[in-house]
Amino acid sequence: RDLLGAPGLVLGPVALPGLAEIPLVGQALFHQPLLTYAALALAPGRPEYLVARGHARYFMDRHAAALADYDQALAAGDAQAAVHSMRGLCLAALLRPEEALSAYDQAVALAPGNAEPLIRRGRLLGGLGRPLDMCRDFASACGLGQCRPLESARKEGSCPAAP
């Protein structure tokens, strides 16, 4: 078994761990999975490699495995807002909304000028029945130039129209 817990594929003299589990569509969308897995085999504790593998696993709908990679990357010192934001996506997919909110809070605190964690947190808040908080996050994201979620919520009647 390889680093992903799945059988590896061997091409010639080089073992490429994890390739067997990546569907062809995933290979096309995530263009460097082989390099990521090979890099992790050589340097298993490197946070940037753990994050890259987490991304691959997330897009393969392996949310628990992706979350484990993001947690390992954080433990290894990679405290980027994007890692916390991706943790939020994983936690939401795993039906752990309060933990997802906490992850998004950390992402927003680390990168207050980044609209994406605000949008993700806003969507989660809306799903949790907190429309005022959702609208607040969408308005903040709009202030950063990302107005589509706020505009959509206004069209749906979820957020009040602009004064």
Side-chain angles (χ1 to χ4, degrees), residues 14-134:
V14 179
L16 302 172
L19 179 63
E21 78 169 43
I22 301 172
L24 290 177
V25 172
Q27 290 180 36
L29 294 176
F30 193 83
H31 64 282
Q32 292 187 333
L34 300 179
L35 296 177
T36 299
Y37 301 130
L40 272 167
L42 296 172
R46 296 284 300 266
E48 63 270 28
Y49 301 158
L50 291 164
V51 170
R53 185 175 66 182
H55 293 341
R57 286 174 161 176
Y58 174 80
F59 289 107
M60 293 175 354
D61 292 327
R62 297 192 56 219
H63 302 117
L67 178 62
D69 284 334
Y70 297 135
D71 287 343
Q72 286 180 348
L74 288 171
D78 191 344
Q80 296 181 54
V83 177
H84 288 286
S85 187
M86 289 303 296
R87 282 189 79 249
L89 286 174
C90 291
L91 290 161
L94 294 168
L95 304 178
R96 294 163 53 184
E98 293 305 319
E99 291 172 86
L101 282 175
S102 178
Y104 291 138
D105 289 345
Q106 290 173 309
V108 170
L110 286 169
N114 184 348
E116 194 61 35
L118 288 163
I119 293 167
R120 289 176 178 173
R121 185 174 68 183
R123 288 180 180 141
L124 180 60
L125 289 165
L128 293 174
R130 295 172 55 184
L132 295 177
D133 292 329
M134 175 190 74

